[in-house]
Structure formats: structure tokens, C-alpha cells
Coordinates of all heavy atoms in Angstrom, one line a residue:
M1 N 55.0 -80.1 -43.7 CA 54.8 -81.3 -44.5 C 54.8 -80.9 -46.0 O 54.1 -80.1 -46.4 CB 53.4 -81.9 -44.1 CG 53.1 -83.1 -44.8 SD 51.6 -83.7 -44.0 CE 51.1 -84.9 -45.2
I2 N 55.7 -81.6 -46.7 CA 55.8 -81.4 -48.1 C 55.0 -82.4 -48.8 O 55.0 -83.6 -48.6 CB 57.3 -81.6 -48.5 CG1 58.2 -80.5 -47.8 CG2 57.4 -81.4 -50.1 CD1 59.6 -80.7 -48.1
R3 N 54.2 -81.9 -49.8 CA 53.3 -82.7 -50.6 C 53.8 -82.7 -52.0 O 54.1 -81.7 -52.5 CB 51.8 -82.2 -50.5 CG 51.3 -82.3 -49.1 CD 50.0 -81.6 -49.1 NE 48.9 -82.6 -49.0 CZ 47.7 -82.3 -49.0 NH1 47.3 -81.1 -49.2 NH2 46.8 -83.2 -48.9
A4 N 53.8 -83.9 -52.6 CA 54.2 -84.0 -54.0 C 53.1 -83.6 -54.9 O 51.9 -83.9 -54.6 CB 54.6 -85.4 -54.3
V5 N 53.4 -82.8 -55.8 CA 52.3 -82.3 -56.8 C 52.3 -83.4 -57.9 O 53.3 -83.7 -58.5 CB 52.7 -81.0 -57.4 CG1 51.7 -80.6 -58.5 CG2 52.8 -79.9 -56.3
P6 N 51.1 -84.0 -58.1 CA 51.0 -85.0 -59.1 C 51.3 -84.4 -60.5 O 50.9 -83.3 -60.8 CB 49.5 -85.5 -59.0 CG 48.8 -84.6 -58.1 CD 49.8 -83.7 -57.4
D7 N 52.0 -85.2 -61.3 CA 52.3 -84.8 -62.6 C 51.1 -85.1 -63.5 O 50.7 -86.3 -63.6 CB 53.6 -85.6 -63.1 CG 54.1 -85.1 -64.4 OD1 53.3 -84.5 -65.2 OD2 55.2 -85.4 -64.8
P8 N 50.5 -84.1 -64.2 CA 49.4 -84.4 -65.0 C 49.6 -85.4 -66.1 O 48.7 -86.1 -66.6 CB 49.0 -83.0 -65.6 CG 50.0 -82.1 -65.2 CD 50.9 -82.7 -64.2
R9 N 50.9 -85.5 -66.5 CA 51.2 -86.5 -67.5 C 51.0 -88.0 -67.0 O 50.7 -88.9 -67.8 CB 52.7 -86.4 -68.0 CG 52.8 -85.1 -68.8 CD 54.3 -84.8 -69.2 NE 55.0 -84.6 -67.9 CZ 56.3 -84.4 -67.8 NH1 57.0 -84.3 -68.9 NH2 56.9 -84.2 -66.7
D10 N 51.2 -88.2 -65.7 CA 51.0 -89.5 -65.1 C 49.6 -89.9 -65.2 O 49.2 -91.0 -65.5 CB 51.5 -89.5 -63.6 CG 53.0 -89.4 -63.5 OD1 53.7 -89.6 -64.5 OD2 53.4 -89.1 -62.4
G11 N 48.7 -88.9 -65.0 CA 47.3 -89.2 -65.1 C 46.9 -89.5 -66.5 O 46.0 -90.4 -66.8
F12 N 47.4 -88.7 -67.4 CA 47.1 -89.0 -68.8 C 47.7 -90.3 -69.3 O 47.0 -91.1 -70.0 CB 47.7 -87.9 -69.7 CG 47.5 -88.1 -71.2 CD1 46.2 -87.9 -71.7 CD2 48.5 -88.4 -72.0 CE1 45.9 -88.1 -73.0 CE2 48.2 -88.6 -73.4 CZ 46.9 -88.5 -73.9
A13 N 48.9 -90.7 -68.8 CA 49.4 -92.0 -69.2 C 48.6 -93.1 -68.6 O 48.3 -94.1 -69.3 CB 50.9 -92.1 -68.6
A14 N 48.0 -92.9 -67.4 CA 47.2 -93.9 -66.9 C 45.9 -94.0 -67.6 O 45.3 -95.1 -67.9 CB 46.9 -93.6 -65.4
L15 N 45.4 -92.9 -68.1 CA 44.1 -92.9 -68.9 C 44.4 -93.6 -70.2 O 43.5 -94.5 -70.6 CB 43.7 -91.4 -69.2 CG 42.5 -91.3 -70.1 CD1 41.2 -91.8 -69.5 CD2 42.4 -89.8 -70.5
V16 N 45.5 -93.3 -70.9 CA 45.8 -94.0 -72.2 C 46.0 -95.5 -72.0 O 45.4 -96.3 -72.7 CB 47.0 -93.3 -72.8 CG1 47.4 -94.2 -74.1 CG2 46.7 -91.9 -73.2
A17 N 46.7 -95.9 -70.9 CA 46.9 -97.3 -70.6 C 45.6 -98.0 -70.3 O 45.4 -99.1 -70.7 CB 47.9 -97.4 -69.5
G18 N 44.7 -97.3 -69.6 CA 43.4 -97.9 -69.3 C 42.5 -98.1 -70.6 O 41.9 -99.1 -70.7
E19 N 42.6 -97.1 -71.5 CA 41.9 -97.3 -72.8 C 42.5 -98.4 -73.6 O 41.7 -99.2 -74.2 CB 42.0 -96.0 -73.6 CG 41.3 -94.8 -73.1 CD 41.6 -93.5 -73.8 OE1 42.4 -93.5 -74.7 OE2 40.9 -92.5 -73.4
L20 N 43.8 -98.6 -73.6 CA 44.4 -99.7 -74.3 C 44.0 -101.0 -73.7 O 43.7 -102.0 -74.4 CB 45.9 -99.5 -74.3 CG 46.7 -100.6 -75.0 CD1 46.4 -100.6 -76.5 CD2 48.2 -100.4 -74.8
A21 N 44.0 -101.1 -72.3 CA 43.6 -102.3 -71.6 C 42.2 -102.7 -72.0 O 41.8 -103.9 -72.1 CB 43.8 -102.1 -70.1
A22 N 41.3 -101.7 -72.2 CA 39.9 -101.9 -72.5 C 39.8 -102.5 -74.0 O 39.0 -103.3 -74.3 CB 39.1 -100.7 -72.4
E23 N 40.7 -102.0 -74.8 CA 40.7 -102.5 -76.2 C 41.3 -103.9 -76.3 O 41.1 -104.6 -77.3 CB 41.5 -101.5 -77.1 CG 40.8 -100.2 -77.4 CD 41.6 -99.4 -78.4 OE1 41.7 -99.8 -79.5 OE2 42.0 -98.3 -78.0
L24 N 42.2 -104.2 -75.4 CA 43.0 -105.5 -75.4 C 42.7 -106.2 -74.1 O 43.7 -106.4 -73.3 CB 44.4 -105.3 -75.7 CG 44.8 -104.5 -77.0 CD1 46.3 -104.2 -76.9 CD2 44.5 -105.4 -78.2
P25 N 41.5 -106.6 -73.8 CA 41.2 -107.1 -72.4 C 41.9 -108.4 -72.1 O 42.1 -108.7 -70.9 CB 39.7 -107.3 -72.4 CG 39.3 -107.4 -73.8 CD 40.3 -106.6 -74.6
D26 N 42.3 -109.2 -73.1 CA 43.0 -110.5 -72.8 C 44.5 -110.4 -72.7 O 45.1 -111.4 -72.5 CB 42.6 -111.5 -73.9 CG 41.1 -111.7 -74.0 OD1 40.5 -111.6 -73.0 OD2 40.6 -112.1 -75.1
E27 N 45.0 -109.2 -72.8 CA 46.5 -109.0 -72.8 C 46.9 -108.6 -71.4 O 46.2 -107.8 -70.7 CB 46.9 -108.0 -73.8 CG 46.6 -108.3 -75.2 CD 47.2 -109.5 -75.8 OE1 48.4 -109.9 -75.3 OE2 46.7 -110.2 -76.6
D28 N 48.1 -109.0 -71.0 CA 48.7 -108.6 -69.8 C 49.7 -107.5 -70.2 O 50.9 -107.8 -70.5 CB 49.5 -109.7 -69.1 CG 50.1 -109.3 -67.8 OD1 49.8 -108.3 -67.3 OD2 51.0 -110.1 -67.4
L29 N 49.3 -106.2 -70.1 CA 50.1 -105.1 -70.6 C 51.1 -104.6 -69.6 O 52.2 -104.1 -70.0 CB 49.2 -103.9 -71.0 CG 48.2 -104.3 -72.1 CD1 47.2 -103.1 -72.3 CD2 48.9 -104.6 -73.4
G30 N 50.9 -104.7 -68.3 CA 51.8 -104.2 -67.3 C 51.9 -102.7 -67.3 O 51.1 -102.0 -67.9
Q31 N 52.8 -102.2 -66.5 CA 52.9 -100.7 -66.3 C 53.7 -100.0 -67.5 O 53.4 -98.9 -67.8 CB 53.7 -100.4 -65.0 CG 52.9 -100.9 -63.8 CD 51.7 -100.0 -63.6 OE1 51.7 -98.8 -63.9 NE2 50.6 -100.6 -63.1
D32 N 54.7 -100.7 -68.0 CA 55.5 -100.0 -69.1 C 55.1 -100.6 -70.4 O 55.4 -101.7 -70.7 CB 57.0 -100.3 -68.7 CG 57.9 -99.6 -69.7 OD1 57.5 -99.0 -70.7 OD2 59.1 -99.7 -69.5
L33 N 54.5 -99.7 -71.2 CA 54.1 -100.2 -72.6 C 55.2 -100.5 -73.5 O 55.2 -101.4 -74.3 CB 53.1 -99.2 -73.2 CG 51.8 -99.0 -72.5 CD1 51.0 -97.9 -73.2 CD2 51.0 -100.2 -72.3
G34 N 56.3 -99.8 -73.3 CA 57.5 -100.0 -74.1 C 58.1 -101.4 -73.8 O 58.5 -102.1 -74.7
D35 N 57.9 -101.8 -72.6 CA 58.4 -103.2 -72.2 C 57.5 -104.2 -72.8 O 58.0 -105.3 -73.2 CB 58.3 -103.3 -70.6 CG 59.0 -104.5 -70.1 OD1 60.1 -104.8 -70.7 OD2 58.5 -105.2 -69.2
C36 N 56.2 -103.9 -73.0 CA 55.3 -104.9 -73.7 C 55.9 -105.1 -75.1 O 55.8 -106.3 -75.6 CB 53.9 -104.3 -73.9 SG 53.0 -104.2 -72.3
L37 N 56.3 -104.1 -75.8 CA 56.9 -104.3 -77.2 C 58.2 -105.0 -77.1 O 58.4 -105.9 -78.0 CB 57.1 -102.9 -77.9 CG 55.8 -102.1 -78.2 CD1 56.2 -100.8 -78.9 CD2 54.8 -102.9 -79.0
D38 N 59.0 -104.7 -76.1 CA 60.3 -105.4 -76.0 C 60.1 -106.9 -75.7 O 60.9 -107.7 -76.2 CB 61.1 -104.8 -74.9 CG 61.6 -103.4 -75.2 OD1 61.6 -103.0 -76.4 OD2 62.0 -102.7 -74.3
R39 N 59.1 -107.3 -74.9 CA 58.9 -108.7 -74.5 C 58.1 -109.5 -75.5 O 57.9 -110.7 -75.4 CB 58.2 -108.8 -73.2 CG 59.1 -108.3 -72.0 CD 58.4 -108.5 -70.7 NE 57.3 -107.5 -70.6 CZ 56.0 -107.9 -70.3 NH1 55.7 -109.2 -70.1 NH2 55.1 -107.0 -70.3
Y40 N 57.5 -108.8 -76.5 CA 56.6 -109.4 -77.4 C 57.3 -110.5 -78.3 O 58.4 -110.2 -78.8 CB 55.9 -108.4 -78.4 CG 54.9 -109.1 -79.3 CD1 53.7 -109.5 -78.8 CD2 55.2 -109.3 -80.6 CE1 52.8 -110.2 -79.6 CE2 54.3 -110.0 -81.4 CZ 53.1 -110.4 -80.9 OH 52.2 -111.1 -81.7
E41 N 56.7 -111.6 -78.4 CA 57.3 -112.7 -79.2 C 56.6 -112.7 -80.6 O 55.4 -113.1 -80.7 CB 57.2 -114.0 -78.5 CG 58.0 -114.1 -77.3 CD 57.8 -115.5 -76.6 OE1 57.6 -116.5 -77.3 OE2 57.9 -115.5 -75.4
F42 N 57.3 -112.3 -81.6 CA 56.7 -112.3 -83.0 C 56.3 -113.7 -83.4 O 57.0 -114.7 -83.1 CB 57.7 -111.7 -84.0 CG 57.8 -110.3 -83.9 CD1 58.8 -109.7 -83.1 CD2 56.9 -109.4 -84.5 CE1 58.9 -108.3 -82.9 CE2 57.1 -108.0 -84.4 CZ 58.0 -107.5 -83.6
G43 N 55.1 -113.8 -84.0 CA 54.6 -115.1 -84.4 C 53.7 -115.7 -83.3 O 53.2 -116.8 -83.6
S44 N 53.5 -115.1 -82.2 CA 52.8 -115.7 -81.1 C 51.3 -115.5 -81.3 O 50.4 -116.0 -80.6 CB 53.2 -115.1 -79.8 OG 53.0 -113.8 -79.7
K45 N 50.9 -114.6 -82.3 CA 49.5 -114.4 -82.6 C 49.3 -114.5 -84.1 O 50.3 -114.5 -84.9 CB 49.1 -112.9 -82.3 CG 49.2 -112.5 -80.8 CD 48.8 -111.1 -80.7 CE 49.0 -110.6 -79.3 NZ 48.3 -111.3 -78.3
P46 N 48.1 -114.8 -84.6 CA 47.9 -114.7 -86.0 C 48.3 -113.4 -86.6 O 48.2 -112.3 -85.9 CB 46.4 -114.9 -86.2 CG 46.0 -115.6 -84.9 CD 46.9 -115.1 -83.8
R47 N 48.8 -113.3 -87.8 CA 49.4 -112.1 -88.4 C 48.5 -110.9 -88.2 O 49.0 -109.8 -87.8 CB 49.8 -112.4 -89.8 CG 50.4 -111.2 -90.5 CD 51.8 -111.0 -90.1 NE 52.4 -109.9 -90.9 CZ 53.1 -109.0 -90.3 NH1 53.4 -109.0 -89.0 NH2 53.6 -108.0 -91.0
C48 N 47.2 -111.0 -88.6 CA 46.4 -109.8 -88.5 C 46.2 -109.3 -87.1 O 46.2 -108.1 -86.8 CB 45.0 -110.0 -89.2 SG 44.1 -111.4 -88.4
E49 N 46.1 -110.2 -86.1 CA 46.0 -109.8 -84.7 C 47.4 -109.2 -84.2 O 47.4 -108.3 -83.4 CB 45.7 -111.0 -83.8 CG 44.3 -111.5 -84.0 CD 44.0 -112.7 -83.1 OE1 44.6 -112.9 -82.1 OE2 43.1 -113.5 -83.5
E50 N 48.5 -109.8 -84.7 CA 49.8 -109.3 -84.3 C 50.0 -107.9 -84.7 O 50.4 -107.0 -83.9 CB 50.8 -110.2 -84.9 CG 52.2 -109.9 -84.5 CD 53.2 -110.9 -85.0 OE1 53.5 -111.0 -86.2 OE2 53.7 -111.7 -84.1
V51 N 49.6 -107.6 -86.0 CA 49.8 -106.2 -86.5 C 48.9 -105.3 -85.7 O 49.4 -104.2 -85.3 CB 49.4 -106.2 -88.0 CG1 49.4 -104.8 -88.5 CG2 50.5 -107.0 -88.8
E52 N 47.7 -105.6 -85.5 CA 46.8 -104.8 -84.7 C 47.3 -104.5 -83.3 O 47.3 -103.4 -82.8 CB 45.4 -105.4 -84.7 CG 44.4 -104.5 -83.9 CD 43.0 -105.1 -83.8 OE1 42.8 -106.3 -84.0 OE2 42.1 -104.3 -83.5
Y53 N 47.7 -105.6 -82.6 CA 48.2 -105.4 -81.3 C 49.4 -104.5 -81.2 O 49.5 -103.5 -80.4 CB 48.7 -106.8 -80.7 CG 49.4 -106.8 -79.4 CD1 48.8 -106.7 -78.2 CD2 50.8 -106.8 -79.4 CE1 49.4 -106.6 -77.0 CE2 51.5 -106.8 -78.2 CZ 50.8 -106.7 -77.0 OH 51.5 -106.6 -75.8
L54 N 50.4 -104.7 -82.1 CA 51.6 -103.9 -82.1 C 51.3 -102.4 -82.4 O 51.9 -101.5 -81.9 CB 52.6 -104.4 -83.1 CG 53.2 -105.8 -82.7 CD1 54.0 -106.4 -83.8 CD2 53.9 -105.8 -81.4
E55 N 50.4 -102.2 -83.4 CA 50.0 -100.8 -83.7 C 49.3 -100.1 -82.6 O 49.5 -99.0 -82.3 CB 49.1 -100.8 -85.0 CG 49.8 -101.1 -86.2 CD 48.9 -101.1 -87.5 OE1 47.7 -101.1 -87.3 OE2 49.5 -101.1 -88.6
L56 N 48.4 -100.8 -81.9 CA 47.7 -100.3 -80.8 C 48.6 -99.9 -79.6 O 48.5 -98.8 -79.1 CB 46.6 -101.2 -80.2 CG 45.3 -101.4 -81.1 CD1 44.5 -102.5 -80.6 CD2 44.5 -100.1 -81.1
V57 N 49.5 -100.7 -79.3 CA 50.5 -100.5 -78.2 C 51.4 -99.3 -78.6 O 51.6 -98.4 -77.9 CB 51.3 -101.7 -77.9 CG1 52.4 -101.3 -76.9 CG2 50.4 -102.8 -77.3
Q58 N 51.9 -99.3 -79.9 CA 52.8 -98.2 -80.3 C 52.0 -96.9 -80.4 O 52.5 -95.8 -80.0 CB 53.4 -98.5 -81.7 CG 54.4 -97.5 -82.1 CD 55.6 -97.4 -81.2 OE1 56.2 -98.4 -80.9 NE2 55.8 -96.2 -80.6
D59 N 50.7 -96.9 -80.8 CA 49.9 -95.7 -80.8 C 49.7 -95.1 -79.4 O 49.8 -93.9 -79.2 CB 48.6 -95.9 -81.5 CG 48.6 -96.1 -83.0 OD1 49.7 -95.7 -83.6 OD2 47.6 -96.6 -83.6
A60 N 49.5 -96.0 -78.5 CA 49.3 -95.6 -77.1 C 50.6 -94.9 -76.6 O 50.6 -93.9 -75.9 CB 48.9 -96.7 -76.2
I61 N 51.8 -95.5 -76.9 CA 53.1 -95.0 -76.4 C 53.2 -93.6 -77.1 O 53.7 -92.7 -76.4 CB 54.2 -95.9 -76.8 CG1 54.1 -97.2 -76.0 CG2 55.6 -95.2 -76.7 CD1 55.1 -98.3 -76.5
D62 N 52.9 -93.5 -78.3 CA 53.1 -92.2 -79.0 C 52.2 -91.1 -78.4 O 52.6 -90.0 -78.3 CB 52.8 -92.4 -80.5 CG 53.8 -93.2 -81.2 OD1 54.9 -93.4 -80.7 OD2 53.5 -93.7 -82.4
R63 N 50.9 -91.5 -78.1 CA 50.0 -90.5 -77.5 C 50.5 -90.1 -76.2 O 50.4 -88.9 -75.9 CB 48.6 -91.2 -77.3 CG 47.8 -91.3 -78.5 CD 46.4 -91.9 -78.1 NE 45.7 -91.0 -77.2 CZ 44.7 -91.5 -76.4 NH1 44.3 -92.7 -76.5 NH2 44.1 -90.6 -75.6
I64 N 51.1 -91.0 -75.4 CA 51.6 -90.6 -74.0 C 52.8 -89.6 -74.2 O 52.9 -88.6 -73.5 CB 52.0 -91.8 -73.2 CG1 50.7 -92.6 -72.8 CG2 52.8 -91.4 -72.0 CD1 51.0 -94.0 -72.3
E65 N 53.7 -89.9 -75.2 CA 54.8 -89.1 -75.4 C 54.4 -87.7 -75.9 O 55.0 -86.7 -75.5 CB 55.8 -89.7 -76.4 CG 56.5 -90.9 -75.8 CD 57.4 -91.6 -76.9 OE1 57.3 -91.3 -78.1 OE2 58.1 -92.6 -76.5
R66 N 53.4 -87.6 -76.7 CA 52.9 -86.3 -77.2 C 52.1 -85.6 -76.2 O 51.9 -84.4 -76.2 CB 52.0 -86.5 -78.5 CG 52.7 -86.9 -79.7 CD 51.8 -86.8 -80.9 NE 50.5 -87.4 -80.7 CZ 50.2 -88.7 -81.1 NH1 51.1 -89.4 -81.7 NH2 48.9 -89.1 -80.9
G67 N 51.5 -86.3 -75.2 CA 50.7 -85.7 -74.1 C 49.3 -85.4 -74.6 O 48.7 -84.6 -73.9
R68 N 48.8 -86.0 -75.6 CA 47.4 -85.8 -76.0 C 46.9 -87.0 -76.8 O 47.6 -87.9 -77.2 CB 47.3 -84.6 -76.9 CG 48.2 -84.5 -78.1 CD 48.1 -83.1 -78.7 NE 49.2 -83.0 -79.6 CZ 49.1 -83.2 -80.9 NH1 47.9 -83.5 -81.5 NH2 50.1 -83.0 -81.7

């Protein structure tokens, strides 16, 4: 029986996504954070909230890519 070895990056990505979901509890983030940015409609939030949302999502993506 062959068992797949879990990729530690998957666990880290799930951790980062969970932290982001806790920071943005009212948002439907989905599995792919890059997709969240692609689907985002500019002007759908007040400007200060929009900037914060986009920065938080991009920071999470960057953390996952760096692996820390």
C-alpha cells in the first residue's frame, strides 16, 4: 500500500488561509487566494476597506509563496 506523504507547504498554506479567514470573517475567500484577487470587483467596498482587504490577501499569498 502506497501512502502519500503530506506536503508541509499544504499545511502551512492552510494555516495562513485560516489566519486570513479569521481576520476577514465576513469574506468568502475560497481555496485559491489568487482567485479571490482575480474575482474582486473594485469599488465594491469603501476605499479604506478595499485597500486593507487587497493588502491582507496579497500578504497571505506572499507568505505562502515564501513558505514562512
Side-chain angles (χ1 to χ4, degrees):
M1 179 172 167
I2 298 174
R3 298 171 106 184
V5 176
D7 186 341
R9 292 175 295 182
D10 292 342
F12 180 71
L15 175 69
V16 172
E19 290 172 356
L20 182 62
E23 288 186 64
L24 301 169
D26 297 333
E27 301 296 331
D28 180 19
L29 298 172
Q31 293 291 326
D32 184 356
L33 296 179
D35 193 40
C36 289
L37 293 180
D38 292 341
R39 291 182 293 123
Y40 182 76
E41 295 181 29
F42 286 92
S44 63
K45 299 180 184 305
R47 180 73 178 136
C48 60
E49 289 179 28
E50 184 171 74
V51 170
E52 180 180 19
Y53 170 82
L54 295 172
E55 285 179 352
L56 287 171
V57 173
Q58 187 61 56
D59 286 346
I61 292 169
D62 293 343
R63 281 183 62 201
I64 291 168
E65 288 176 356
R66 286 191 314 265
R68 54 187 166 99

